[in-house]
Amino acid sequence: MTDHTVSRRAALAGLGGTAVLGTALSAGVLTAPAATATTGTPAGSNAHRARQGKLEQRVSQLLKRMSLAEKLGQLQLVNTEDLAKQALAKTPCGGVFSVVGAAKLNALQKIAVEQTRLGIPLIFGLDVIHGYTTNFPIPLGQASSFDPSVAETDATVSAAEARRSGITWTYAPMMDVTHEPRWGRIAEGDGEDPYLASQFAVAKVHGYQGEDYSAGTKLAACAKHYVAYGGAEGGRDYNTVDVSIQELHNHYLPPFKAAVEAGIATVMAAFNTVAGVPAHANRYTLRDVLKDHYDFDGFVVSDYTGIQELIMHGVAGNGADAAAAGINAGVDMEMVSTNYVDTGKQLLAQGRIRQSEIDDAVRRILRVKFALGLFEHPYVDEAGEVTSVSATARAKARAAGSRCMVLLKNDNALLPLKRTANVAVIGPLATATFDLNGTWSGLGTGANTTPPVTVVEGITAAGASVTTAPGCDIDSADSSGFAAAVSLAQKADVVVLALGESAAMSGEASARSNIGLPGVQEQLLAAIVATKRPVAVVLFNGRPLTLQSTHDTATAILEAWAPGVEAGSAVADVLFGQVNPGGKLPVSFPRAVGQIPIYYNHQNTGRPADPNNKYTSKYLDLPSGPLYEFGFGLSYTTFTVSNIQLSSTKLSRQGGRITVRVDVRNTGDREGDEVVQLYIHDPVASIAQPVRRLRGFNRVTLTAGQTRTVTFTLGTDDVGFYDNQARFLVETGQIEVYAGTSSAADLKATFSVV
Ligand code: NOJ
């Protein structure tokens, strides 16, 4: 680094580096976001402007006709049919969530549209996280595909199923970057990398909303949880987050920025504090960053009782204080608690909130309702309700399931197995059903949710001869089942050992302090390994686990996450080689809990870990680095990445571009997928930079012996970073580029930013 300049766009806008913390964004030093599009016509086109203009006109006209009570009503979101009916009889609420069933939703809508003064339709929300009737792999699994089209497919299928069933708004995608495997909600996001999470967030927005979310197969999406929720101290859900401005902007905010640029309709506030200020009362993150600088024109919904919780956070003395804080900060709609409707009138009279704030919140909510087409089509065709898993959706879920799996170990090429093998399928998850869906499953159909295909069913259907015994439960101290399991193992050619967590062990409020295999599963593994049969461990889990002893003793390990409705079939597809696994880890797997947080994009420190020097940053009792690094994953074939070439050795700070080319070669004897990954490192900058930052990835399929050239483009957006005053800086100096098959890639080139 020799020079220190704000980004080109900011510079062109005549804005400069005088910003201070908290007001930096008002000084306008962030790069300008792309225009937000809520219709299919390209933003900026005349047709788009006309449609937008018409929509805004309709919003304004309606707003003019609304009483204060009607306005406050729109800011309320309730979660039961009864509450909705009560509200509609008094002051109509804006929306209802977690109520499913086309007939029920139509009945509520009929009251809103036909029996209230203004007939404003309700928006119907639901946590359609990785499926409505058809469960796809959990989001962390989807991120392992390193193929955003997997997420887009899930979102497309889910949106169609949900919208046809009357739902119009999903509380997804979750895009909380995290370094915390103890945190149960790691299952719901894309892991530890902001770039990967941004790519997946955008894919999901496209899948849910499409070009125009008024379509009968699309939903309004919701970027959550805004913001830094993944930074929960100790991984305990809802916990405090203390984060620097640079970390906030470089690490936690990028997926939200990307989602806004992709046109996301809504954003949900997070339960945590951000540097002492609860996210629900955070004017800086909500108004300054999201609404002003990202130019977000949709609405912000609170999380469940998030406004009320401002009292427990200790920043509000009562409901009125909480409502004032939330409205002032920019939370537009209150979920479940009722402080806005209860105290809004009084707050306005006291001058603690402004009419313009209320109007802006209502305007944002109406904007999304108009864009959803609810005023034209408030009802859903009940005959079209989706209540089962279609063959097409099932096939897509199966393909997604196997595409998300990560091969962590494969000694002696144990996998793929022969279909003629005698397989003992052992383990507490061998015949598990709903646990293979993971967290947030089956919301669309409730009790009628289709159970996932079990591992035993999948392997049997693949043609192998199968014996099975659980050996133990997922989480108990009882080892009385070991003997039966060992006896089956002794008679088999190979053991498939299905281990892991229950669905309830990850997701919301499901932090674990010990992230090893629960119960006596490790002991079961030891007992099976002692039979000397080859053992392929298949893992079902919603977070990284500490797997040292599994790694040391199992012959092969396949990370399957929670694959969804076609779980067992997808596992069998990979175990028997119909699908060659090509997933990669979107998060580091620690060797031990004591290493957490451990992540690939850390800073170097003044004393980077050196095994030969005691006075460096490491543990006495553990090797440095994770057990499996970010981006790691094996295949049944092998690959090399070589011949890195840059189109230039110089990148202009004034918006230049550099092309990076590498050759990837399948050096094995069967077709397979490799994810070629591109990382950068800025070795000398005005603030310490991560040792690696992912800036590109490409999953390619190559036949045996095939070579392909993969091309990446790097620009100023890639090499720049936010400093501690939220300024986006593109500094001159050298940038190192690394390409390879994981974050440990060592094929290197350099260029200079000039
Ligand atoms: C609380 C969760 O934090 C959020 O993710 C979810 O969307 C809401 N509840 C609504 O169910």
Side-chain angles (χ1 to χ4, degrees):
M1 191 275 305
T2 53
D3 193 1
H4 182 124
T5 338
V6 295
S7 77
R8 188 174 76 96
R9 273 180 283 179
L12 287 178
L15 306 162
T18 52
V20 290
L21 193 144
T23 56
L25 294 168
S26 334
V29 289
L30 281 182
T31 53
T36 304
T38 50
T39 69
T41 343
S45 72
N46 287 340
H48 173 79
R49 269 193 291 273
R51 280 174 73 168
Q52 255 341 59
K54 201 158 165 233
L55 191 150
E56 291 302 318
Q57 228 177 23
R58 293 177 76 187
V59 170
S60 300
Q61 279 161 2
L62 181 52
L63 197 64
K64 272 193 212 131
R65 296 171 56 210
M66 293 174 78
S67 67
L68 176 61
E70 282 163 339
K71 288 178 181 173
L72 292 172
Q74 284 302 307
L75 311 188
Q76 180 66 48
L77 178 63
V78 302
N79 63 336
T80 68
E81 264 180 291
D82 282 351
L83 287 170
K85 284 180 186 156
Q86 281 168 32
L88 290 168
K90 250 185 2 201
T91 325
C93 54
V96 183
F97 76 105
S98 290
V99 174
V100 290
K104 271 190 219 170
L105 297 173
N106 273 346
L108 289 177
Q109 194 70 299
K110 198 168 156 64
I111 308 177
V113 171
E114 295 179 17
Q115 296 169 31
T116 67
R117 191 179 78 92
L118 295 170
I120 302 176
L122 296 161
I123 187 168
F124 292 126
L126 188 70
D127 289 282
V128 183
I129 307 297
H130 54 111
Y132 179 77
T133 52
T134 307
N135 280 289
F136 278 75
I138 53 168
L140 188 62
Q142 293 186 26
S144 304
S145 69
F146 273 67
D147 175 4
S149 79
V150 168
E152 186 161 349
T153 301
D154 158 26
T156 306
V157 171
S158 306
E161 290 180 350
R163 185 76 185 248
R164 289 198 174 116
S165 309
I167 298 298
T168 45
W169 181 27
T170 177
Y171 302 136
M174 193 270 217
M175 50 190 75
D176 295 312
V177 174
T178 186
H179 295 158
E180 256 306 345
R182 289 172 293 186
W183 191 46
R185 304 201 79 170
I186 194 171
E188 298 176 50
D190 308 303
E192 74 190 27
D193 183 69
Y195 179 84
L196 188 69
S198 301
Q199 305 293 314
F200 274 78
V202 168
K204 281 234 154 167
V205 178
H206 288 156
Y208 289 128
Q209 297 192 169
E211 294 283 295
D212 176 356
Y213 59 79
S214 71
T217 52
K218 292 295 169 192
L219 299 171
C222 183
K224 72 185 190 187
H225 303 82
Y226 192 78
V227 60
Y229 189 29
E233 284 181 1
R236 273 199 316 285
D237 209 357
Y238 318 119
N239 208 8
T240 304
V241 178
D242 199 353
V243 62
S244 69
I245 287 288
Q246 65 97 354
E247 187 71 355
L248 185 64
H249 284 274
N250 291 312
H251 194 75
Y252 293 111
L253 281 167
F256 291 93
K257 182 170 186 282
V260 172
E261 286 169 8
I264 196 147
T266 72
V267 170
M268 185 185 292
F271 283 129
N272 52 286
T273 50
V274 180
V277 185
H280 283 75
N282 205 310
R283 181 183 265 278
Y284 173 72
T285 55
L286 289 169
R287 282 208 193 276
D288 296 353
V289 178
L290 180 70
K291 291 184 173 177
D292 291 348
H293 286 275
Y294 294 173
D295 207 15
F296 171 63
D297 70 355
F299 70 86
V300 176
V301 62
S302 84
D303 203 344
Y304 202 106
T305 62
I307 296 295
Q308 180 76 13
E309 289 171 27
L310 294 175
I311 300 173
M312 288 309 289
H313 273 299
V315 300
N318 51 41
D321 288 355
I327 290 170
N328 290 160
V331 176
D332 303 305
M333 185 183 261
E334 181 171 6
M335 186 192 286
V336 178
S337 53
T338 58
N339 301 292
Y340 284 13
V341 273
D342 293 344
T343 68
K345 192 172 170 198
Q346 159 206 334
L347 291 172
L348 204 53
Q350 293 167 345
R352 295 180 65 193
I353 58 172
R354 291 197 304 267
Q355 184 65 50
S356 59
E357 289 173 330
I358 299 288
D359 285 352
D360 179 59
V362 178
R363 182 178 280 283
R364 288 168 177 275
I365 292 163
L366 294 179
R367 189 178 284 146
V368 172
K369 288 186 174 185
F370 276 112
L372 271 166
L374 296 181
F375 288 83
E376 290 78 17
H377 303 289
Y379 305 111
V380 65
D381 174 6
E382 289 170 30
E385 179 166 15
V386 182
T387 54
S388 59
V389 178
S390 73
T392 328
R394 195 175 264 289
K396 288 179 177 168
R398 180 170 180 166
S402 57
R403 204 159 169 81
C404 296
M405 291 180 194
V406 188
L407 184 65
L408 298 176
K409 184 179 179 189
N410 195 19
D411 276 3
N412 316 320
L414 172 64
L415 301 178
L417 303 174
K418 292 199 180 60
R419 281 174 201 272
T420 50
N422 281 315
V423 188
V425 185
I426 291 171
L429 286 132
T431 55
T433 55
F434 291 108
D435 282 318
L436 307 189
N437 270 341
T439 185
W440 285 126
S441 83
L443 290 165
T445 46
N448 300 322
T449 305
T450 311
V453 176
T454 69
V455 177
V456 164
E457 287 165 350
I459 294 180
T460 307
S465 66
V466 170
T467 57
T468 186
C472 62
D473 291 336
I474 291 177
D475 193 11
S476 95
D478 182 3
S479 54
S480 59
F482 282 19
V486 163
S487 137
L488 290 188
Q490 280 160 342
K491 290 177 218 135
D493 299 328
V494 58
V495 178
V496 169
L497 194 52
L499 303 178
E501 300 180 310
S502 67
M505 284 179 173
S506 61
E508 187 176 349
S510 301
R512 294 179 62 206
S513 66
N514 175 350
I515 57 167
L517 286 164
V520 289
Q521 294 187 56
E522 282 193 11
Q523 289 93 310
L524 175 65
L525 168 64
I528 300 296
V529 166
T531 65
K532 304 267 193 282
R533 309 314 300 152
V535 182
V537 169
V538 181
L539 293 168
F540 300 95
N541 44 304
R543 58 160 57 76
L545 301 173
T546 46
L547 293 172
Q548 190 68 59
S549 68
T550 309
H551 177 80
D552 293 343
T553 57
T555 325
I557 307 174
L558 179 67
E559 176 55 80
W561 307 109
V565 69
E566 277 290 315
S569 327
V571 165
D573 288 344
V574 172
L575 290 181
F576 294 98
Q578 175 126 338
V579 173
N580 188 347
K584 300 281 182 170
L585 295 178
V587 60
S588 309
F589 274 43
R591 296 172 193 275
V593 167
Q595 264 186 326
I596 300 169
I598 181 159
Y599 49 96
Y600 89 94
N601 46 358
H602 59 86
Q603 294 167 21
N604 213 19
T605 82
R607 297 184 177 192
D610 174 353
N612 302 315
N613 183 349
K614 174 165 185 184
Y615 296 95
T616 59
S617 183
K618 59 186 164 55
Y619 295 100
L620 290 176
D621 54 353
L622 277 181
S624 291
L627 180 62
Y628 304 119
E629 76 271 11
F630 176 88
F632 172 77
L634 303 170
S635 162
Y636 298 154
T637 182
T638 47
F639 295 90
T640 56
V641 176
S642 63
N643 193 22
I644 187 164
Q645 287 182 353
L646 306 183
S647 59
S648 167
T649 53
K650 291 185 171 48
L651 174 78
S652 163
R653 207 174 64 203
Q654 309 300 320
R657 298 239 156 256
I658 279 194
T659 304
V660 184
R661 287 164 185 278
V662 291
D663 293 339
V664 52
R665 180 173 165 76
N666 181 342
T667 50
D669 57 6
R670 57 188 298 150
E671 183 177 290
D673 285 9
E674 183 53 276
V675 179
V676 185
Q677 301 162 44
L678 188 82
Y679 297 86
I680 63 162
H681 175 219
D682 182 346
V684 185
S686 55
I687 60 171
Q689 291 297 301
V691 293
R692 297 273 161 105
R693 281 168 70 194
L694 183 70
R695 294 314 298 176
F697 58 88
N698 192 346
R699 180 166 176 165
V700 292
T701 304
L702 298 180
T703 53
Q706 192 186 353
T707 302
R708 187 177 310 166
T709 302
V710 175
T711 306
F712 300 97
T713 307
L714 291 172
T716 47
D717 286 356
D718 296 295
V719 299
F721 57 87
Y722 291 93
D723 74 357
N724 258 323
Q725 295 172 48
R727 296 178 302 191
F728 189 75
L729 307 181
V730 179
E731 298 182 335
T732 55
Q734 207 180 59
I735 299 288
E736 297 166 356
V737 182
Y738 296 90
T741 59
S742 84
S743 57
D746 54 9
L747 183 67
K748 181 179 169 186
T750 56
F751 65 85
S752 301
V753 179
V754 294

